[in-house]
Amino acid sequence: MSALDSANHQLAEAVKQLGLDDGLHQLLATPRRSMQVAVPLRRDDGTMTVLAGYRVQHNLSRGPAKGGIRFHPHTDLDEVRALAMWMTWKCALIGIPYGGAKGGVAVDPRLLSRNELERVTRRYASEIMPIIGPEKDIPAPDVGTDEQTMAWMMDTYSAHQGYTVTGVVTGKPVSVGGSLGRGGATSRGVMYATFSALRAAAVDHRGATVAVQGFGKVGGLAAQYLHDAGCNVVAVSDVKGGVYNPRGLNPAALIRHLRSGAESVVGYPGTDEISNDELIELDVDVLVPAALEGVISDENADRIQARFVVEGANGPTTPDADAVLEDRGIVVVPDILANAGGVAVSYFEWVQDLQAYFWSEDEVNDRLKVLMERAYDEVSELADQRGVSLRTAAQMIGVGRVAEAHRLRGLYP
Ligand code: NAD
């Protein structure tokens, strides 16, 4: 099942629960704008290659579009459409005034030099420039992109405007209009969502065992924050494989290991090697998938042993797998709730940029905690009331708020 199939399936479930009509369902399922661009790249050796780039604005009824930019070889228009749709529901769920968007370039950034990466980023930014801007659509980092990517995008946009426009992207370095606390925001939100889920089940997070798939921007710091808060992080992985130690890993040391040039967590001293498939099926309290879509599917759902799945990634669990996990009593904290900390602090960053007035890190983190805990409580209350999963409840709130915006604004003409 593709990410787009999953997103459409989840939307249909929310539409059914909310009793929305077919026309509105169709409107909510259809992206408002999809842009496909050619991104010609001059390689360092003088040859040229042309990459495919995308930007999809799924819905604009609650405010400007918002969503990350992915650099990954398998990115295509359908994946970007699915990710854009999830952004719409996520922003509505946590109550920030945005629609949803996503973008991407089909490229493996690890195979490009830094200069090539900068040229790809600047050309892609200039190709999608007609539809982005602080009042229109505000990109952010995602898989394969980072603060530096955002700095180049902001600079390219600003060069064309003739003045600095910090609010055109979020997830920038702090020295050029980024927000304190943005770097770790998604991961911190994953931690708050984990704690909320454990608290609701009367499980102490101290000593709870955790496995994290995807030791990148989200998974790396999620592992570190959970470890620092007293959880026992026993396994983490990246695209090359994973490491396991039942007595616990030290995520901060692993992050330092990668920053000092190691290509993978695999081979870190004092750990056993495990595969990504084995990691997903480990007997732990909490599993945090924080890599890509579709890693928990009907092929492995009956072998998941975790009691809680907290979705750091977007779309890691397919609808088939969701049904199996629900039957087996495994709590899934859905992506649009669990990883919403990133877009929450992106919103804070944008607000700070527009006002040119910056907050302290404590202010950012405190507001994030309030927002995440409130969203979790709303979702869990609706799930209890309606006897549905946390995923369906979260989708119902997000989809319901977007439907409400359409109803109030009416249809033009
Ligand atoms: P990233 O590129 O920083 O990290 C991705 C990690 O996943 C890397 O460790 C990579 O090696 C690993 N990985 C890639 N392919 C894999 C595979 N097939 N098997 C196992 N591991 C694999 O990306 P990120 O920003 O951390 O994003 C991870 C997920 O979180 C994505 O689903 C993204 O959409 C979602 N997300 C990110 C943010 C954010 O703020 N960056 C916010 C919300 C959601």
Side-chain angles (χ1 to χ4, degrees), residues 96-180:
I96 57 176
Y98 289 137
K102 206 80 180 190
V105 177
V107 65
D108 187 342
R110 293 173 307 169
L111 303 181
L112 300 184
S113 71
R114 188 181 161 86
N115 284 335
E116 289 171 338
L117 208 49
E118 177 171 354
R119 289 198 289 274
V120 167
T121 304
R122 289 186 183 279
R123 184 60 187 247
Y124 169 70
S126 67
E127 293 298 334
I128 64 167
M129 202 169 296
I131 63 168
I132 64 169
E135 293 88 22
K136 296 199 270 185
D137 180 359
I138 306 113
D142 191 73
V143 174
T145 57
D146 59 15
E147 286 190 351
Q148 180 60 69
T149 323
M150 294 306 117
W152 287 328
M153 287 192 70
M154 189 272 274
D155 183 70
T156 305
Y157 186 87
S158 299
H160 282 257
Q161 299 301 310
Y163 54 92
T164 296
V165 187
T166 53
V168 64
V169 291
T170 59
K172 300 178 294 295
V174 171
S175 52
V176 287
S179 174
L180 293 168

Side-chain angles (χ1 to χ4, degrees), residues 7-273:
N8 278 323
H9 185 283
Q10 293 162 0
L11 171 63
E13 182 60 30
V15 162
K16 189 177 83 187
Q17 290 287 341
L18 293 166
L20 305 180
D21 64 52
D22 289 348
L24 191 51
H25 184 179
Q26 211 182 331
L27 185 65
L28 296 172
T30 310
R32 178 75 174 263
R33 280 187 197 118
S34 300
M35 190 174 195
Q36 177 163 352
V37 296
V39 185
L41 164 66
R42 192 174 60 258
R43 303 295 305 257
D44 290 343
D45 65 7
T47 60
M48 189 184 67
T49 180
V50 181
L51 308 168
Y54 311 93
R55 185 71 183 170
V56 172
Q57 298 172 347
H58 170 259
N59 192 288
L60 303 169
S61 61
R62 300 181 67 262
K66 185 89 190 79
I69 305 276
R70 178 172 290 195
F71 285 0
H72 190 276
H74 298 152
T75 290
D76 62 19
L77 188 58
D78 276 356
E79 182 190 62
V80 174
R81 286 177 62 184
L83 291 163
M85 190 190 292
W86 283 321
M87 284 305 297
T88 301
W89 316 141
K90 189 183 302 182
C91 292
L93 169 63
I94 62 168
I96 57 176
Y98 289 137
K102 206 80 180 190
V105 177
V107 65
D108 187 342
R110 293 173 307 169
L111 303 181
L112 300 184
S113 71
R114 188 181 161 86
N115 284 335
E116 289 171 338
L117 208 49
E118 177 171 354
R119 289 198 289 274
V120 167
T121 304
R122 289 186 183 279
R123 184 60 187 247
Y124 169 70
S126 67
E127 293 298 334
I128 64 167
M129 202 169 296
I131 63 168
I132 64 169
E135 293 88 22
K136 296 199 270 185
D137 180 359
I138 306 113
D142 191 73
V143 174
T145 57
D146 59 15
E147 286 190 351
Q148 180 60 69
T149 323
M150 294 306 117
W152 287 328
M153 287 192 70
M154 189 272 274
D155 183 70
T156 305
Y157 186 87
S158 299
H160 282 257
Q161 299 301 310
Y163 54 92
T164 296
V165 187
T166 53
V168 64
V169 291
T170 59
K172 300 178 294 295
V174 171
S175 52
V176 287
S179 174
L180 293 168
R182 173 62 182 91
T186 312
S187 316
R188 201 173 281 282
V190 167
M191 174 179 74
Y192 294 139
T194 306
F195 290 173
S196 292
L198 292 176
R199 214 178 301 122
V203 176
D204 191 348
H205 73 263
R206 283 163 302 186
T209 51
V210 179
V212 179
Q213 188 205 33
F215 201 70
K217 293 187 295 298
V218 176
L221 285 176
Q224 186 186 325
Y225 295 155
L226 288 166
H227 168 273
D228 293 352
C231 298
N232 183 20
V233 179
V234 296
V236 301
S237 69
D238 54 41
V239 67
K240 302 220 160 128
V243 287
Y244 175 64
N245 183 340
R247 290 183 306 283
L249 302 166
N250 179 348
L254 276 162
I255 291 173
R256 282 196 297 277
H257 179 62
L258 294 177
R259 285 198 183 136
S260 65
E263 280 197 354
S264 169
V265 294
V266 177
Y268 187 75
T271 63
D272 295 329
E273 184 170 349

